[in-house]
């Protein structure tokens, strides 16, 4: 399948013929076909701010966040990472603060999952999963009582199960039926066709292209069904391909460009479904444990950085870099200020294409903060990044150590281009603003197969801003004061 025939297939083909046409016509014409007399009514839209959104599916979902468990003594080190710019809901929590996208480490997730998948809450993805496997664990997901489910599944079924279109539709309907009966809104994402010449793609004559197209047409056809929304990203992806923009990392998984284009369709749908507002409070003065307060003053420490840096903050340019980085301040309300960094990229002495600005401050002792094992913590900051495709990530992490300096666990949020040594960031045609968030996490202890910690090692690298050293434009990053506060347990909201 060459480029032109692919573009034609996804913009013009109407694959619903024969049996599939009859199935599609029946389902479209009978919007309540899957709603039995015992189905719960769908809550009216828009839902209230804080609606729970859960993504279910294969690696596209799993890429949104994962756990990393390292060997350690006397217990393993456990990291929870939700900073991937990829994934079905990877950047969502960092762009719009209206949704409940909490997810946390849970060693008891009942899926016999790999250590990387021990997350409960909003991210429920399993790499390599097929629809029957998703169906098998769907009851546990339904017990979490999400308000909206993003269903991102089917590419692996298409790739290896030798299905007919009718059988693929049957599998998909088997997932939709219990979701509708539970009164849950469903947002369906289309399977991504595997075109190209890299490993994992399909040859031009491969029948799986037609199967993928057939299932795609079916999904688009049910977009008007009660309780269903469909992310029809065919046109935006086709336009990118036509312009020579790579949309996948490996012919299978969307890269940052591809995911960002998908978001351009997904985000308006979700915003239309949930009232605007703040799930996490943005009030800098509300129970904030950060020693930096409202970013007052300009006497912070600098290394490779000039200009004004907020009192107590340390701004450090990466080793071997020659970029010009100038700090400045902007007033906000009630005596709070915003920290601004203007970056003029330059040819660097190091070989890496990834340049970094690190922000840090004094370590935060749990005892002095009134925090104890079992408490829950939330963290976040408002940001704005200038329009550019040179940004490679904004990472916000809290590393919990026991003395003298042994990391026991960490929680990582923000947005990072996973393969930033080779992949570019999203093509931002306008400034990107939002809230870089670390989802609520528990101060772990022996009950969680972890060793208790004594302090947050915020003197190391809690904030890291990355950009491409080959950038030719001036880059500007703006940050509101960081918020770190004791929070409430997110599990009851997810029926745990």
């Amino acid at each position: 399948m060459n480029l032109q025939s692919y573009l034609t297939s996804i913009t013009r083909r109407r694959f619903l013929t024969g049996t599939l046409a009859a199935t599609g016509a029946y389902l479209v014409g009978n919007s309540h076909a899957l709603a039995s007399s015992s189905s719960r009514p769908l809550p009216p839209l828009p839902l209230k701010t804080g609606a729970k959104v859960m993504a279910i599916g294969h690696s596209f979902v799993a890429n949104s966040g994962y756990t990393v468990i390292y060997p350690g003594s006397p217990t393993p080190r456990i990291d929870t990472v939700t900073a991937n710019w990829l994934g079905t809901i990877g950047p969502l929590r960092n762009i719009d603060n209206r949704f409940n996208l909490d997810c946390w480490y849970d060693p008891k997730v009942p899926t016999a999952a790999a250590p990387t998948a021990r997350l409960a809450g909003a991210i429920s993805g399993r790499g390599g999963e097929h629809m029957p496997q998703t169906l098998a664990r769907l009851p546990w997901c339904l017990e979490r009582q999400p308000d909206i489910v993003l269903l991102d599944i089917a590419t692996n079924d298409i790739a290896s199960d030798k299905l007919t279109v009718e059988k693929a539709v049957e599998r998909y309907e088997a997932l939709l039926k219990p979701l509708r009966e539970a009164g849950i809104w469903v947002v369906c994402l289309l399977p991504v066709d595997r075109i190209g010449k890299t490993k994992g793609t399909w040859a031009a004559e491969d029948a799986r292209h037609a199967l993928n197209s057939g299932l795609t047409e079916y999904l688009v056809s049910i977009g008007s069904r009660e309780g269903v929304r469909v992310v029809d990203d065919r046109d935006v992806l086709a336009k990118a391909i036509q312009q020579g923009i790579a949309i996948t990392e490996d012919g299978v998984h969307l890269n940052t460009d591809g995911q960002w284009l998908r978001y351009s369709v997904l985000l308006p749908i979700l915003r239309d479904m949930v009232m605007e507002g703040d799930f996490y409070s943005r009030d800098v003065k509300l129970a904030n444990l950060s020693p930096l307060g409202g970013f007052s003053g300009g006497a912070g420490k600098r290394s490779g950085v000039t200009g004004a840096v907020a009192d107590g903050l340390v701004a450090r340019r990466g080793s071997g870099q020659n970029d010009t980085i100038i700090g400045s301040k902007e007033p906000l309300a009630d005596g709070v200020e915003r920290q601004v960094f203007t970056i003029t990229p330059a040819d660097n002495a190091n070989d890496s294409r990834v340049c970094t600005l690190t922000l840090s401050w004094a370590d935060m002792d749990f005892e002095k903060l009134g925090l104890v094992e079992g408490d829950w913590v939330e963290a976040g900051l408002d940001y704005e990044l200038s329009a550019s495709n040179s940004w490679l990530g904004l990472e916000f992490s809290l590393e919990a150590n026991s003395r003298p300096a042994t990391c026991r666990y960490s929680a990582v949020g923000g947005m990072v281009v996973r393969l930033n040594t080779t992949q570019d960031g999203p093509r931002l045609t306008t400034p990107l603003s939002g809230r870089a968030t670390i989802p609520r996490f528990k101060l772990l202890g022996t009950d969680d197969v972890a060793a208790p910690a004594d302090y947050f090692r915020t003197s190391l690298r809690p904030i890291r801003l990355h950009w491409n050293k080959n950038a030719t434009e001036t880059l500007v990053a703006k940050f509101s004061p960081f918020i770190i506060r004791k929070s409430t347990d997110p599990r009851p909201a997810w029926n745990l």
Side-chain angles (χ1 to χ4, degrees):
M1 178 178 291
N2 60 33
L3 174 61
Q4 187 56 50
S5 61
Y6 171 73
L7 294 173
T8 301
S9 74
I10 64 174
T11 56
R12 297 180 182 175
R13 180 185 297 179
R14 291 297 174 260
F15 194 85
L16 297 179
T17 59
T19 303
L20 181 58
T23 303
Y26 173 74
L27 293 173
V28 172
N30 296 271
S31 62
H32 298 273
L34 297 181
S36 68
S37 58
S38 60
S39 296
R40 295 178 183 173
L42 289 162
L45 299 179
L47 303 174
K48 293 181 179 179
T49 301
K52 291 178 294 180
V53 179
M54 174 186 279
I56 302 175
H58 46 56
S59 56
F60 282 35
V61 177
N63 282 341
S64 304
Y66 45 86
T67 49
V68 183
I69 301 178
Y70 302 94
S73 179
T75 61
R77 168 182 164 177
I78 302 168
D79 290 358
T80 302
V81 181
T82 59
N84 205 339
W85 216 317
L86 296 177
T88 307
I89 60 171
L92 183 57
R93 70 166 48 83
N94 301 290
I95 297 173
D96 199 309
N97 191 36
R98 76 183 70 190
F99 311 105
N100 180 344
L101 293 164
D102 277 332
C103 55
W104 58 92
Y105 166 72
D106 186 345
K108 300 176 182 178
V109 173
T111 56
T116 54
R118 291 176 181 170
L119 282 179
I123 300 174
S124 189
R126 303 291 180 265
E129 189 160 84
H130 297 227
M131 286 188 277
Q133 295 168 310
T134 305
L135 183 63
R137 64 184 180 87
L138 190 59
W140 187 85
C141 296
L142 294 177
E143 289 174 1
R144 307 289 70 78
Q145 299 177 354
D147 299 296
I148 299 171
V149 161
L150 306 185
L151 198 54
D152 199 355
I153 193 67
T155 188
N156 295 314
D157 305 67
I158 294 168
S160 58
D161 287 356
K162 298 181 180 179
L163 301 177
T164 62
V165 176
E166 292 82 1
K167 184 62 178 179
V169 169
E170 180 183 320
R171 286 186 177 186
Y172 210 101
E173 289 290 348
L175 290 169
L176 291 176
K177 186 174 187 294
L179 288 164
R180 175 62 192 90
E181 289 177 343
I184 296 171
W185 286 91
V186 181
V187 178
C188 303
L189 293 105
L190 305 182
V192 176
D193 204 356
R194 302 187 184 185
I195 63 170
K197 298 180 180 180
T198 58
K199 182 179 179 181
T201 58
W202 303 322
E205 66 279 3
D206 197 306
R208 288 173 292 188
H209 292 297
L211 174 56
N212 194 93
S213 185
L215 184 60
T216 293
E217 293 288 353
Y218 148 75
L219 290 174
V220 172
S221 77
I222 65 171
S224 59
R225 181 189 294 181
E226 181 186 52
V228 174
R229 297 289 186 271
V230 176
V231 180
D232 189 355
D233 53 14
R234 293 175 298 172
D235 287 346
V236 294
L237 293 181
K239 183 178 179 181
I241 294 171
Q242 199 168 37
Q243 293 173 344
I245 299 172
I247 64 169
T248 68
E249 294 178 334
D250 50 12
V252 179
H253 300 91
L254 289 173
N255 61 13
T256 307
D257 273 332
Q259 192 64 61
W260 196 248
L261 290 169
R262 212 183 199 198
Y263 259 79
S264 71
V265 184
L266 170 62
L267 191 55
I269 292 173
L270 289 175
R271 283 175 168 166
D272 188 54
M273 298 175 74
V274 179
M275 293 180 184
E276 186 175 2
D278 285 318
F279 174 61
Y280 283 118
S281 172
R282 286 175 148 150
D283 186 346
V284 172
K285 299 182 179 181
L286 177 63
N288 193 357
L289 301 176
S290 168
L292 301 174
F295 272 176
S296 62
K301 295 182 179 180
R302 291 151 291 183
S303 176
V305 178
T306 61
V309 174
D311 293 348
L313 189 64
V314 180
R316 183 180 295 108
R317 186 180 63 187
S319 176
Q321 294 176 206
N322 297 317
D323 314 80
T324 299
I325 304 177
I326 302 173
S328 59
K329 308 289 288 301
E330 289 183 353
L332 297 173
D334 301 324
V336 175
E337 298 181 75
R338 183 157 66 169
Q339 179 68 58
V340 181
F341 292 101
T342 302
I343 303 164
T344 304
D347 189 23
N348 296 317
N350 60 24
D351 293 330
S352 173
R353 76 196 288 260
V354 183
C355 294
T356 303
L357 171 66
T358 299
L359 306 179
S360 60
W361 56 93
D363 290 338
M364 301 174 65
D365 185 274
F366 288 175
E367 184 175 0
K368 293 179 180 178
L369 297 173
L371 296 175
V372 297
E373 178 185 334
D375 283 343
W376 288 80
V377 174
E378 65 182 68
L381 68 143
D382 288 356
Y383 69 88
E384 182 181 303
L385 303 179
S386 57
S388 172
N389 68 339
S390 295
W391 294 112
L392 296 178
L394 170 58
E395 183 177 336
F396 186 13
S397 63
L398 290 176
E399 182 180 294
N401 282 28
S402 61
R403 293 186 176 87
T406 302
C407 181
R408 296 303 182 187
Y409 53 91
S410 70
V412 185
M415 301 174 291
V416 176
V417 177
R418 182 174 61 178
L419 303 176
N420 59 17
T421 58
T422 58
Q423 297 283 335
D424 292 331
R427 296 168 186 265
L428 303 180
T429 56
T430 58
L432 176 65
S433 61
R435 182 168 183 75
T437 302
I438 299 177
R440 286 184 278 190
F441 65 96
K442 184 181 178 183
L443 300 187
L444 301 179
T446 52
D447 289 345
D448 309 287
V449 198
D454 302 308
Y455 66 99
F456 288 133
R457 195 180 179 189
T458 44
S459 61
L460 187 59
R461 51 177 183 269
I463 308 287
R464 287 190 290 180
L465 180 67
H466 306 293
W467 63 92
N468 191 331
K469 78 170 186 176
N470 298 317
T472 57
E473 68 275 28
T474 297
L475 305 173
V476 180
K478 302 180 180 183
F479 303 112
S480 70
F482 314 138
I483 295 174
I484 303 171
R485 64 167 66 98
K486 185 176 178 179
S487 191
T488 55
D489 187 339
R491 292 176 295 186
W494 293 85
N495 201 27
L496 283 170

